[in-house]
Amino acid sequence: MDAHPGDPPLIYLNNAATTWPKPQGVLDAVTRSLQTPFFEHGRSTAGSAMDYPSETRAALAGLFHAEQPDHFIFTRSATESLNLLIHGFVKKQGAPFHAITTELEHNSVLRPLHTLTGEGRLSLSMVPFQESYVTLQDIKKALQPETRLVVMTHGSNVLGSLQNIRPVAEYCAENNIFLIVDGAQTAGQVPINLEAVPLGAFVFTGHKALFGIPGIGGFYLDDPDAIVPVQQGGTGTDSRSLAHPQEMPQKFEAGTPNYPGIASLLAGIRFIEHEGQDRVTRKGRDLAALFISEITRDKNIILYTPAPDLPVVSFNIQGLDNDEAGYILAKAYNIITRTGLHCAPLVHDRIDSGKGCIRVSFSCLNTPEECRSAAMAVREVAEGADR
Amino acid sequence: MKEFILEEPLTPGFLTFLRSFGTVKEYPHMKRPYFSFEQEHFISIKGFVGDPSVEVRYRKEFSDLTSDYFHLLLFYFREGENGIRKMQGIEESIWERMKVRLPEEGVPR
């Protein structure tokens, strides 16, 4: 957006989509990564260049407390990760089976599952949420003898609710059900301990709370034999063989890695480590709580997230379509929000009759002053819509 | 979606003109006086009275038939009542072409 003289300063509150700004260290890391030859595993251009993939896998293992760095697989995004995992699991099963997911999910979960249901590869049960949460009891009600897969979000991108994964994970592990957890909204935002929770796979993206650039994501796969790779290609290893390598991480990675993206992810993790994960988590919650406290008494604002666990606040303004409110906030106040369905249509069916809402989402780089200014703007828009 | 910067700011008179062709919503008490226009099957427009910048969205299915619609609105606005009649004639012509394209579904009018 071009700045014009007299415009108020830009306030970016769409961090649940993509965090902005990026820490300077991330920008510098991307530049640096492009200024030297890439270290290519098994190839000839090593020299003194940095092995970004290996360094970043180690950093991810540290941040998420994972035992096996090589079980982190890089992809383009959480969406690609979820597709590789879901389709790979279906391919491994061979025969149709039953899967469970929840109404909180993003289309990156819903659409692959819907597609596979349409192809007769699986049958699907949708677990409703109660007051923003899905519990193990809710999931148990959907179980069938042939249930083999549960896919659920760790944190809702609309309701900001952090799901209690541990009991679901323990139940799935005990009952031979593969659990995929979508951590797109939580990786980097809240502490994650993969050692402590027996997940089948944990999905993350680099460009949200991990502060990387768009185009880098990944997943952690506990058991490499649980799914079948759905893509093959060059790995720089065992090149004489026409069979794709079965070692991790090459088993699920083919082609040239996104080195600048991986470098940005590494720098983003270092930023979080420097700031402290607990501080990052707390600041996000504090900003959301501050924003809510500033708008909550306005009778023209319909709030859907009275106490979010994540820095996500969703609401509507009486008498004004959400996309119009977003337009006014952007053009008249220079405040960037996100409006519409947020790629989570089933959540909106429950909270706003499917019309969508306005979402503001904070990163730890937002300030309380930005938060108050945005809340004041939202109150002004609500007042303007009411007159 | 396209954003246009017009040669002149939008006026209240233009909103009056638009009412002949669809639904205009006005919020004059916003920080900047916001309006939206919707011709359900052609386009929607968002902007502020007194501002030259507008956002125009075209219905994807008919965008080739309606891509000039916004410019025609601006052009015929200058002709007053006569412009309304001409614009209504253009609308009829667009409807006719929509009918040809979707004979089995009919035109959603």
Side-chain angles (χ1 to χ4, degrees):
Chain A
M1 183 180 291
D2 295 335
H4 297 100
D7 277 354
L10 175 68
I11 299 177
Y12 181 85
L13 299 179
N14 191 20
N15 292 284
T18 298
T19 48
W20 186 91
K22 302 299 182 187
Q24 188 59 45
V26 170
L27 304 180
D28 293 343
V30 172
T31 304
R32 242 186 350 263
S33 78
L34 292 164
Q35 287 173 331
T36 50
F38 297 117
F39 179 97
E40 295 189 86
H41 186 73
R43 292 172 176 147
S44 57
T45 52
S48 60
M50 186 167 174
D51 179 0
Y52 286 111
S54 297
E55 289 279 333
T56 308
R57 281 186 240 276
L60 283 164
L63 185 67
F64 296 153
H65 303 280
E67 283 180 358
Q68 303 180 87
D70 283 347
H71 287 217
F72 280 99
I73 303 299
F74 294 120
T75 66
R76 284 180 301 170
S77 59
T79 296
E80 185 175 53
S81 299
L82 286 158
N83 271 273
L84 291 174
L85 288 164
I86 292 170
H87 286 274
F89 184 78
V90 167
K91 193 175 175 187
K92 171 82 177 182
Q93 296 302 299
F97 62 93
H98 176 250
I100 296 172
T101 193
T102 84
E103 288 181 339
L104 292 171
E105 305 308 313
H106 189 276
N107 274 338
S108 54
V109 169
L110 298 177
R111 286 178 170 170
L113 290 173
H114 177 78
T115 299
L116 289 160
T117 303
E119 293 172 355
R121 310 288 293 277
L122 54 82
S123 61
L124 185 65
S125 294
M126 194 66 65
V127 177
F129 60 88
Q130 311 293 335
E131 296 182 350
S132 305
Y133 297 93
V134 170
T135 66
L136 173 59
Q137 297 312 311
D138 299 326
I139 288 172
K140 277 183 172 178
K141 288 176 193 167
L143 280 174
Q144 296 180 11
E146 62 276 21
T147 302
R148 297 286 175 270
L149 174 67
V150 173
V151 189
M152 68 179 291
T153 187
H154 190 199
S156 167
N157 69 325
V158 178
L159 299 174
S161 50
L162 189 63
Q163 305 304 308
N164 187 5
I165 295 295
R166 184 193 296 266
V168 179
E170 288 173 349
Y171 183 85
C172 286
E174 287 163 11
N175 291 277
N176 195 29
I177 297 169
F178 190 64
L179 173 64
I180 301 172
V181 173
D182 175 5
Q185 291 297 325
T186 57
Q189 187 58 50
V190 298
I192 286 164
N193 189 336
L194 296 177
E195 274 177 357
V197 183
L199 303 182
F202 179 78
V203 169
F204 63 93
T205 188
H207 69 113
K208 298 183 193 284
L210 287 170
F211 286 104
I213 60 174
I216 186 66
F219 60 86
Y220 183 80
L221 182 62
D222 186 51
D223 175 9
D225 294 328
I227 68 167
V228 172
V230 295
Q231 59 185 19
Q232 292 79 35
T235 57
T237 57
D238 201 14
S239 296
R240 193 67 195 87
S241 172
L242 296 182
H244 192 84
Q246 294 302 297
E247 298 78 35
M248 294 290 271
Q250 291 93 335
K251 182 174 182 179
F252 295 97
E253 290 182 355
T256 303
N258 174 2
Y259 290 109
I262 294 170
S264 76
L265 177 57
L266 178 58
I269 293 168
R270 297 292 182 237
F271 171 76
I272 292 165
E273 289 170 345
H274 180 262
E275 293 291 306
Q277 179 68 80
D278 288 341
R279 183 180 168 275
V280 167
T281 305
R282 194 168 56 248
K283 186 168 181 193
R285 284 181 183 158
D286 288 350
L287 288 170
L290 173 60
F291 183 84
I292 289 168
S293 72
E294 295 275 321
I295 65 166
T296 197
R297 283 187 296 276
D298 193 315
K299 64 180 173 48
N300 294 317
I301 298 173
I302 306 160
L303 181 66
Y304 303 115
T305 54
D309 306 306
L310 301 170
V312 169
V313 182
S314 292
F315 57 96
N316 266 311
I317 292 172
Q318 297 271 17
L320 194 63
D321 288 347
N322 61 76
D323 69 314
E324 296 187 304
Y327 182 87
I328 295 166
L329 287 167
K331 299 293 182 180
Y333 295 92
N334 219 9
I335 296 171
I336 305 304
T337 63
R338 181 73 170 263
T339 62
L341 298 179
H342 311 96
C343 297
L346 304 184
V347 175
H348 292 282
D349 286 345
R350 290 280 306 279
I351 67 170
D352 55 32
S353 306
K355 292 178 180 170
C357 69
I358 309 152
R359 181 186 73 188
V360 301
S361 50
F362 303 93
S363 91
C364 64
L365 294 177
N366 284 121
T367 65
E369 292 70 31
E370 288 179 319
C371 202
R372 288 191 191 91
S373 297
M376 185 184 296
V378 169
R379 290 199 308 268
E380 280 185 20
V381 173
E383 187 183 342
D386 191 41
R387 290 175 67 184
Chain B
M1 190 269 279
K2 287 185 178 175
E3 188 158 351
F4 295 103
I5 308 293
L6 309 177
E7 289 178 359
E8 295 173 353
L10 290 163
T11 62
F14 184 65
L15 299 196
T16 304
F17 179 76
L18 287 178
R19 288 184 202 283
S20 301
F21 307 102
T23 305
V24 175
K25 290 197 284 183
E26 280 189 89
Y27 296 90
H29 300 293
M30 294 288 179
K31 180 181 180 186
R32 289 160 63 186
Y34 172 76
F35 79 94
S36 68
F37 166 76
E38 183 157 11
Q39 209 295 3
E40 189 182 354
H41 304 297
F42 289 15
I43 63 169
S44 63
I45 303 172
K46 293 188 185 79
F48 298 96
V49 177
D51 191 308
S53 168
V54 283
E55 179 188 295
V56 181
R57 292 181 189 222
Y58 300 91
R59 279 282 296 267
K60 213 166 27 182
E61 307 91 295
F62 305 116
S63 59
D64 58 324
L65 300 178
T66 59
S67 57
D68 292 336
Y69 188 84
F70 177 62
H71 298 92
L72 292 168
L73 284 170
L74 291 171
F75 181 79
Y76 284 112
F77 165 57
R78 286 181 284 182
E79 296 191 14
E81 284 297 318
N82 195 34
I84 291 175
R85 281 192 295 278
K86 285 182 180 171
M87 200 62 216
Q88 285 169 339
I90 289 166
E91 271 200 358
E92 283 301 323
S93 162
I94 295 173
W95 286 120
E96 289 304 315
R97 280 181 283 169
M98 284 182 179
K99 282 180 194 170
V100 170
R101 181 172 299 184
L102 299 169
E104 70 284 3
E105 295 175 28
V107 176
R109 188 173 192 182

